Amino acid sequence: MTDTADIIIIGAGVHGASVAFHLAQRGVKATILEKKFVAAGATGRSSGLVRMHYDVQQDTELAWVSFQYFRNWKEIVGGDCGFTRTGFIQLVAPADTETLKGNVASHQAIGVPVMLIKKDDVKRLAPSFNVNDIELAAYEPESGYAMPSDTANSLINAAREKGARLIQDCTVTGIITKSGKVTGVRTTQGEFNAPVVVNAAGAWAGVINTMVELDLPYDTWHHDTMFVVRPHEIGPSHPTVIDFANEMYFRPEGNLTLVGLEDGNPLGESPDSDTDHARKGFVERGIDRICRRIPSMETGALHSAHAGYDGITLDQHPYLGTAGPDGFYLDCGFSGTGFKTAPAVGLCMSELILDGRSKTVDISIYSPQRLSDGKQITGEHAYSSIWH
Ligand SMILES: Cc1cc2nc3c(=O)[nH]c(=O)nc-3n(C[C@H](O)[C@H](O)[C@H](O)COP(=O)(O)OP(=O)(O)OC[C@H]3O[C@@H](n4cnc5c(N)ncnc54)[C@H](O)[C@@H]3O)c2cc1C
C-alpha cells in the first residue's frame, strides 16, 4: 500500500497529538503514525504535574502558554484534560534560597502567578508537612496536575474532527529521502509519501534519528513512580510539590499520593523494557523520602508502582527544530518534564513548520544542533540537574 499525506507525525504521545492539533487549527491535515496506541509511551505513564517553576526562562514561557490551555481546555481544545488545581509548592534546601528568589522574580516578570512564602506559610498550606529543613519556598496557587492520556486523546480527537488521521498499530521502520529531502516513510502498513516528517517518538526518537543517519546525542530515561494510600489524618488533599531538598516530587490523586524521585533514573535501557513494575528498591526509597516530608505517611499503604521511559538529551532539554534532510523535524527529548509544555510546544512547532519560525515563544534555543555547537541550555539562576 502507498498513501500520501501533507505531513507525517511519528508518535501519538502528547507531543505528536499537540502538533497535529495545531496544524489542524491552521487547516493542515496531518497523518499520525503510532506503533501501538495513543499515549502508549511516556505520556500514558506521566505524573502530569502542571507548574511553571523552571530555571530556564523559555521553559517557563512554554509552561505558562500551555497553562492557559490546561485551565481553559474545554473552550480551546474540547474534551477534558483532567486539570485539577491543587496549588504547587517548590521546596528547596536553604543553600538554594537565593536561586529560588531569582527564579521567582523572573517568573513574576512574565506574569506567572507565583509568590515566595516562608516555612510557616508552607505549614499553613500543608499542616502535615515537616518544614524544619526549609526557609523559603515558591508557591503557585493556580497550578496542579492534569491527566496525560486524556490530554493526548482530546488533542487527537480535536485534530481528527478537522481532518487529521490517526493510524495505530503502524510502526515506522524507515524514512525515505531523495536528493537530501524527506519524501516519506516506510511502515509495517506500507509506505506513506509526505514532504514533511515530524519525529515525536519520545524515548524511541533516537532510533528514528538513525534512520536519517542523524548522529545526535540521545538517550532513554527510566522513571519509576508509586501511589501511596494516604492516612486519613493528612486530610482529603495536599498541594502538588517538587521537593528539591529531598530529591522528589509528589501530588495527590483522590485518596492517593503519587511519588517520584529525582535520583536513580537509569539511562540507556531499551524503552521496550518492562514498565508494569518499578525497579527493585524504588518503593523503599520512595517511602523513606515521602516520610521525611510527611512523617504521618508512615501509616500509609502502598497502592501500586510502575515505570515509564522518556527520551533525554545531554542538557535535559528537548530538540525542537530541523535536522538532517530537508523536511525532517525533531520534537523530542523532553527529558522527563515535557507533559506540561506540550500545548505550547505543539503550537510553536506548527508555526515553525508552516511559517519558518515560531512566534509564540522563541524556541531557537532548543535547536538540535546546539550541543554540537558547544552550547548547553542552562538557567540564569540554575539549580543542579534535575535527574541524576
Ligand atoms: C513516569 C514519568 C513521569 C513523568 N511525569 C511528568 C510530569 O509530572 N510532568 C511533566 O511535565 N512531564 C512528565 N514526564 C515527562 C512527559 O511525560 C514526557 O516528556 C512526554 O509525555 C513525552 O511525550 P512524547 O509525545 O514526546 O512521547 P511519548 O508519550 O513517549 O510518545 C511517543 C510515541 O511514539 C510511538 N512510537 C515510537 N516509535 C515509533 C515508531 N517507530 N513508529 C510509530 N510510532 C512510534 C510510541 O509508541 C509512543 O506512543 C514524565 C515522564 C515519565 C516517563
Side-chain angles (χ1 to χ4, degrees):
M1 178 188 110
T2 302
D3 194 308
T4 300
D6 292 341
I7 292 183
I8 286 167
I9 298 169
I10 306 172
V14 72
H15 281 281
S18 182
V19 185
F21 170 78
H22 287 97
L23 289 170
Q25 297 280 86
R26 300 272 304 267
V28 177
K29 299 165 189 170
T31 296
I32 310 165
L33 305 177
E34 165 54 52
K35 72 172 180 168
K36 284 188 168 175
F37 49 86
V38 175
T43 301
R45 291 299 194 187
S46 183
S47 305
L49 267 65
V50 172
R51 44 94 190 184
M52 274 67 76
H53 196 93
Y54 276 103
D55 60 5
V56 171
Q57 187 78 358
Q58 283 86 343
D59 292 348
T60 297
E61 285 176 26
L62 289 170
W64 179 226
V65 171
S66 298
F67 187 67
Q68 315 315 320
Y69 287 67
F70 285 116
R71 63 176 172 187
N72 300 298
W73 198 262
K74 216 176 167 131
E75 293 72 27
I76 298 174
V77 180
D80 193 358
C81 69
F83 176 68
T84 304
R85 177 184 166 188
T86 60
F88 166 78
I89 302 179
Q90 174 71 58
L91 298 174
V92 297
D96 276 330
T97 297
E98 289 309 311
T99 311
L100 180 88
K101 284 184 188 167
N103 285 319
V104 166
S106 63
H107 302 163
Q108 287 170 335
I110 60 168
V112 173
V114 57
M115 62 196 88
L116 284 168
I117 58 173
K118 297 196 174 113
K119 68 172 169 186
D120 292 349
D121 303 316
V122 175
K123 193 76 185 168
R124 270 191 284 276
L125 288 164
S128 60
F129 287 13
N130 164 29
V131 295
N132 292 339
D133 59 337
I134 56 167
E135 288 170 4
L136 278 183
Y139 180 47
E140 296 177 9
E142 309 279 326
S143 299
Y145 67 92
M147 291 292 137
S149 292
D150 294 347
T151 302
N153 272 294
S154 49
L155 285 164
I156 287 187
N157 289 343
R160 290 174 78 186
E161 275 168 24
K162 288 194 155 70
R165 279 190 303 170
L166 167 68
I167 303 179
Q168 303 182 91
D169 287 319
C170 180
T171 303
V172 172
T173 54
I175 312 274
I176 310 165
T177 59
K178 199 172 172 195
S179 311
K181 291 184 181 154
V182 162
T183 59
V185 297
R186 274 183 286 277
T187 80
T188 48
Q189 293 193 31
E191 285 187 11
F192 290 77
N193 299 324
V196 172
V197 172
V198 180
N199 179 0
W204 296 263
V207 176
I208 304 290
N209 287 343
T210 61
M211 294 176 186
V212 290
E213 291 168 15
L214 250 187
D215 185 20
L216 288 174
Y218 200 84
D219 221 330
T220 62
W221 170 84
H222 172 122
H223 186 58
D224 296 310
T225 53
M226 67 177 186
F227 285 98
V228 182
V229 182
R230 233 178 8 256
H232 291 296
E233 67 245 47
I234 296 175
S237 191
H238 56 72
T240 294
V241 174
I242 293 182
D243 184 348
F244 278 170
N246 284 313
E247 299 189 307
M248 71 166 165
Y249 65 85
F250 55 96
R251 68 157 173 86
E253 185 164 321
N255 66 334
L256 306 177
T257 292
L258 183 159
V259 182
L261 301 181
E262 283 171 28
D263 57 330
N265 299 284
L267 305 183
E269 294 178 356
S270 163
D272 294 312
S273 308
D274 173 33
T275 53
D276 290 340
H277 306 91
R279 275 159 53 92
K280 203 165 173 287
F282 165 73
V283 166
E284 292 78 358
R285 291 191 306 122
I287 287 175
D288 174 59
R289 278 326 146 80
I290 192 72
C291 289
R292 285 189 216 166
R293 183 58 66 208
I294 311 181
S296 47
M297 279 286 189
E298 281 278 343
T299 55
L302 179 67
H303 175 275
S304 54
H306 56 215
Y309 286 95
D310 202 357
I312 192 165
T313 69
L314 282 177
D315 60 7
Q316 302 191 1
H317 280 83
Y319 291 144
L320 303 177
T322 51
D326 283 356
F328 189 67
Y329 288 80
L330 299 188
D331 183 356
C332 57
F334 289 93
S335 306
T337 71
F339 170 67
K340 69 188 75 60
T341 53
V345 170
L347 173 59
C348 291
M349 286 299 295
S350 71
E351 291 168 351
L352 181 67
I353 294 166
L354 300 179
D355 310 326
R357 59 179 280 274
S358 67
K359 62 175 189 311
T360 302
V361 175
D362 179 5
I363 56 169
S364 57
I365 63 158
Y366 306 104
S367 148
Q369 290 78 22
R370 67 179 181 275
L371 297 168
S372 50
D373 291 346
K375 293 181 200 146
Q376 292 217 5
I377 298 175
T378 50
E380 195 187 336
H381 310 280
Y383 299 113
S384 52
S385 287
I386 180 163
W387 311 117
H388 52 95

